[in-house]
Amino acid sequence: GAVVSQHPSRVICKSGTSVKIECRSLDFQATTMFWYRQFPKQSLMLMATSNEGSKATYEQGVEKDKFLINHASLTLSTLTVTSAHPEDSSFYICSASDGPSYEQYFGPGTRLTVT
Amino acid sequence: TQLLEQSPQFLSIQEGENLTVYCNSSSVFSSLQWYRQEPGEGPVLLVTVVTGGEVKKLKRLTFQFGDARKDSSLHITAAQPGDTGLYLCAVAGGTSYGKLTFGQGTILTVHP
């Protein structure tokens, strides 16, 4: 149980375009989903926290107009990188929590490359 | 200032050697988690420690939570190439309920 999927697993896009990444909880209802960014050989950096049906809470320094997060249902959250630039190239990981506990179940990540 | 100080940042050892990774803080935590992440994949939870002084074992991995619940260690006995990966400690807390804060991570490479 507690499986989280991400789609796509890899995406290459041109500079200036927008990319949408999906995060799904497959066998549980995720009241809260988290989005992380990870650079090579570094730890995970939390970008934002999203609760179903409400606006996401962004961490300091994360541009909410650039990284649009939507958590429209209890099983799906999306992260849209708008007007992507090469510096947005990174590994994006989502996690989902099924209740008021801290346990998070992580997705397999999405490798974004902006050319 | 990092909430969690993880060390060492890099560790390169030969198969069969033992190693210890440390996760330290000046704050007290109700619990602490250890994750392992392989390249191109999401982190996988190894263990959660909740009681001061607690020791948990997972095959060749031994996890300890400090008596004061401010620090933790991960010890691997007789490391194998399959242990290679990024090891992360994490604690819950912050402005968002359920938010995890990760240590800087330890990149472990075990050479055959």
Side-chain angles (χ1 to χ4, degrees):
Chain A
V3 178
V4 176
S5 70
Q6 280 184 242
H7 178 81
S9 58
R10 289 175 177 269
V11 57
I12 301 173
C13 71
K14 291 187 177 180
S15 188
T17 62
S18 295
V19 176
K20 180 184 285 189
I21 302 170
E22 293 185 349
C23 177
R24 293 181 184 271
S25 56
L26 300 185
D27 50 4
F28 67 100
Q29 293 187 324
T31 55
T32 305
M33 286 187 170
F34 302 85
W35 287 95
Y36 297 85
R37 184 173 183 178
Q38 185 178 34
F39 291 106
K41 298 184 186 294
Q42 293 188 23
S43 187
L44 279 71
M45 290 171 40
L46 180 66
M47 298 175 67
T49 302
S50 74
N51 291 294
E52 186 264 338
S54 61
K55 290 184 179 180
T57 301
Y58 290 81
E59 294 298 300
Q60 190 173 6
V62 178
E63 299 176 59
K64 60 182 179 182
D65 294 330
K66 181 166 184 64
F67 298 100
L68 301 178
I69 292 172
N70 183 280
H71 191 166
S73 78
L74 286 171
T75 59
L76 172 65
S77 177
T78 60
L79 167 66
T80 301
V81 183
T82 62
S83 186
H85 290 284
E87 56 265 31
D88 298 324
S89 298
S90 190
F91 193 53
Y92 292 88
I93 304 172
C94 74
S95 70
S97 177
D98 60 356
S101 72
Y102 60 83
E103 180 126 25
Q104 295 180 27
Y105 305 100
F106 286 85
T110 296
R111 172 74 59 194
L112 169 63
T113 303
V114 184
T115 61
Chain B
T1 304
Q2 291 280 344
L3 181 63
L4 292 175
E5 294 287 342
Q6 195 173 333
S7 63
Q9 188 176 355
F10 299 95
L11 203 48
S12 180
I13 62 173
Q14 294 296 126
E15 182 175 2
E17 292 183 8
N18 302 331
L19 66 112
T20 302
V21 178
Y22 300 92
C23 184
N24 298 305
S25 177
S26 57
S27 301
V28 178
F29 303 111
S30 57
S31 64
L32 183 145
Q33 298 180 317
W34 284 95
Y35 291 83
R36 176 169 172 265
Q37 184 184 21
E38 296 196 37
E41 298 182 12
V44 175
L45 179 65
L46 296 174
V47 77
T48 301
V49 286
V50 297
T51 306
E54 180 178 10
V55 176
K56 283 191 173 180
K57 291 193 174 186
L58 187 64
K59 296 184 180 177
R60 293 175 294 100
L61 277 61
T62 302
F63 305 86
Q64 185 161 7
F65 202 14
D67 291 340
R69 291 186 283 121
K70 293 182 178 182
D71 54 86
S72 181
S73 64
L74 157 60
H75 182 78
I76 301 180
T77 304
Q80 299 177 358
D83 295 327
T84 293
L86 174 65
Y87 290 81
L88 298 156
C89 61
V91 293
T95 54
S96 301
Y97 190 80
K99 166 183 167 179
L100 282 178
T101 299
F102 286 87
Q104 301 100 316
T106 296
I107 297 176
L108 171 65
T109 304
V110 183
H111 301 280

